[in-house]
Amino acid sequence: MLTSINPYTGEKLEKFKELSKSKINKKLKTADKTFQTWKETSFTRRAELMQNLADELKENKEVYAKSISLEMGKPITQSIAEIEKCAWVCTYYAENAEKQLEKDIIETDAEESFVSYEPLGVVFAVMPWNYPYWQVFRFLAPALMAGNVGVLKHASNVMRCAENIEKAVLNAGFPEGCFQNLTISSKKVEFVLRDERVKAVTLTGSKPAGGAVASVAGEIIKKSVLELGGSNALVVFEDANIEETVKTCVQARFQNTGQSCIAGKRLLVKEGIYNQFIEEFITQVRELKSGDPLDEETYIGVMAREDLAKELEEQLLDSKEKGAKVVLGGKRRKAYFEPTVVINVNKKMRIFKEETFGPLISVTSFETDMEAIDLVNKSKFGLGVSVFTEDFERAKAMIPQFEDGAVFINELVKSDPRLPFGGTKESGYGRELSDHGIKEFVNRKTVYINKY
């Protein structure tokens, strides 16, 4: 039995009975059967249904958003924004998928030669709790538009969100079996992945979870895409617009109560503006309102589980013992962790080396451009980096030197349906979104036609 618990009140919300292996088998049989007909549908029909899904989300965004806030504590205004973004990705692929998957005509010695893009079949998604709708929809929309079908193993603490996603897909008119939620724990992931009807897997989550799934997928030679952790740097140079940069950096770190793989977790500030910048940064963080996730004024909610808040607390305490100094926050009450700013952080401290998945930012100063680049790359993660400067030539010269999957200038790193999303190193491999994402789970078929 999987139990959904409100992290703000501690109240047990719902219990979900875990599927037996026989019932999983039945759902996979349905998925495979649906795929045989779904792959033959026209792009026009797929687009119609996908736009229906976007409309379903927009029309019922308050209902869907409330399940996010109740199950994992996201402030309600941010939950609503998440649902709206899911509608956007549905509309984006409804409008662009056909063009993205057109044949690529290639001139060769043949009479005709091209690459076609054909669906693989059942794609298995293993998804996390921090963006319980968005993480799923950025897989779901391109996968279904490409002619695939999907099955989902969602995080155990957001099973109502998972059920709602399947409900939304059915309400939009998609055939039964196009997308199904599997109410299972992590222990049954391998069972699903090894099923011959499952052709590929995508996972967003931790390194251990990604490593386990990739290991099995590699053994049985199935395509996998991994989007894992991140420890993004926010690099502030002396010529940055301080007022706007502080505002952006606060949002980059503290939205979703800091529980985001692409959050700016390491703040790197040029020595000459360090004191001025940190003073203004602390001022703005202090103004963030903490409280009930269902209160529209709340910006900082609780963390999704108390054990996650405890882990963040342990990372902070260990770093303090090594010389880090807390200048704001630093205290925990059950699943609530105060917005926290920590200075005097160096490369050897846990809050610099590890991913801090909560409302805590580490601050480090630097003197030269090369030192800043070294600090950014001194991470086992490689998801993204934000650079703040008015000297665009300087910024462009740095871009090839960063090891991350994304570089944003004067902006926080964010996922956008129009742009590929993914990382390097321990942040995973493969890309989601844009035309790159929709082509991850297709057969790129080379066709060569000659006449004698």
Side-chain angles (χ1 to χ4, degrees), residues 83-131:
I83 301 300
E84 291 172 340
K85 191 170 185 178
C86 293
W88 178 24
V89 79
C90 290
T91 297
Y92 170 80
Y93 279 110
E95 294 175 348
N96 293 284
E98 182 173 11
K99 188 174 189 308
Q100 290 168 338
L101 296 177
E102 285 179 345
K103 295 175 182 177
D104 284 339
I105 306 299
I106 301 173
E107 294 296 326
T108 67
D109 296 333
E111 186 74 22
E112 184 180 359
S113 51
F114 57 87
V115 176
S116 63
Y117 300 97
E118 300 173 5
L120 296 178
V122 181
V123 181
F124 181 30
V126 182
M127 292 292 147
W129 49 262
N130 59 328
Y131 285 87

Side-chain angles (χ1 to χ4, degrees), residues 124-166:
F124 181 30
V126 182
M127 292 292 147
W129 49 262
N130 59 328
Y131 285 87
Y133 284 78
W134 172 244
Q135 304 279 19
V136 176
F137 271 89
R138 70 187 193 193
F139 137 76
L140 182 159
L144 267 59
M145 284 303 300
N148 296 303
V149 299
V151 291
L152 168 69
K153 186 279 172 202
H154 218 324
S156 299
N157 59 329
V158 290
M159 278 296 161
R160 171 46 52 198
C161 293
E163 293 282 313
N164 283 350
I165 294 170
E166 181 174 348

Side-chain angles (χ1 to χ4, degrees), residues 19-37:
L19 294 176
S20 64
K21 289 185 176 180
S22 63
K23 289 187 177 179
I24 294 172
N25 180 66
K26 185 177 180 180
K27 284 182 175 289
L28 292 178
K29 183 178 180 180
T30 298
D32 187 56
K33 182 179 179 181
T34 299
F35 170 66
Q36 303 309 320
T37 53

Side-chain angles (χ1 to χ4, degrees), residues 166-373:
E166 181 174 348
K167 175 184 174 182
V169 172
L170 292 172
N171 285 350
F174 282 89
E176 182 182 356
C178 262
F179 177 83
Q180 297 176 90
N181 175 48
L182 304 180
T183 310
I184 60 174
S185 67
S186 299
K187 294 178 181 178
K188 289 196 173 87
V189 167
E190 183 172 347
F191 174 78
V192 176
L193 183 52
R194 288 186 179 277
D195 191 286
E196 62 181 10
R197 290 164 294 198
V198 172
K199 304 304 181 184
V201 61
T202 179
L203 177 142
T204 299
S206 67
K207 178 191 172 184
V213 164
S215 177
V216 175
E219 177 194 337
I220 56 181
I221 320 299
K222 289 186 180 180
K223 176 65 183 289
S224 61
V225 169
L226 302 183
E227 198 277 282
L228 307 179
S231 186
N232 289 11
L234 304 164
V235 189
V236 184
F237 288 95
E238 72 281 358
D239 61 344
N241 180 320
I242 290 183
E243 182 181 353
E244 291 299 320
T245 299
V246 169
K247 181 180 176 182
T248 301
C249 289
V250 170
Q251 181 186 2
R253 170 67 279 199
F254 293 102
Q255 66 178 349
N256 198 26
T257 316
Q259 299 169 117
S260 172
C261 56
I262 55 172
K265 301 178 176 83
R266 298 178 295 143
L267 178 57
L268 311 179
V269 184
K270 185 69 179 283
E271 192 68 59
I273 60 166
Y274 182 87
N275 292 333
Q276 178 188 1
F277 189 88
I278 298 306
E279 181 180 352
E280 179 60 29
F281 188 84
I282 291 171
T283 297
Q284 290 197 24
V285 174
R286 190 178 278 121
E287 293 172 354
L288 300 177
K289 185 181 185 300
S290 298
D292 185 344
L294 294 179
D295 183 345
E296 292 185 358
E297 299 298 317
T298 297
Y299 191 86
I300 300 290
V302 290
M303 294 181 64
R305 301 193 310 265
E306 187 174 349
D307 63 296
L308 299 170
K310 286 181 178 179
E311 182 179 349
L312 185 62
E313 184 178 44
E314 290 170 2
Q315 291 172 305
L316 175 59
L317 292 174
D318 184 78
S319 298
K320 284 173 65 178
E321 290 177 1
K322 292 179 172 61
K325 180 182 178 182
V326 176
V327 291
L328 183 69
K331 295 180 181 178
R332 178 187 68 83
R333 293 189 299 276
K334 294 186 177 180
Y336 172 71
F337 201 99
E338 293 179 331
T340 300
V341 180
V342 189
I343 63 172
N344 298 345
V345 176
N346 62 48
K347 294 181 284 188
K348 296 181 180 180
M349 296 176 182
R350 286 184 64 186
I351 59 173
F352 185 96
K353 295 191 299 181
E354 300 175 3
E355 180 174 30
T356 49
F357 215 69
L360 179 153
I361 192 162
S362 69
V363 187
T364 306
S365 64
F366 66 88
E367 294 184 357
T368 67
D369 291 8
M370 288 309 299
E371 184 183 3
I373 293 167

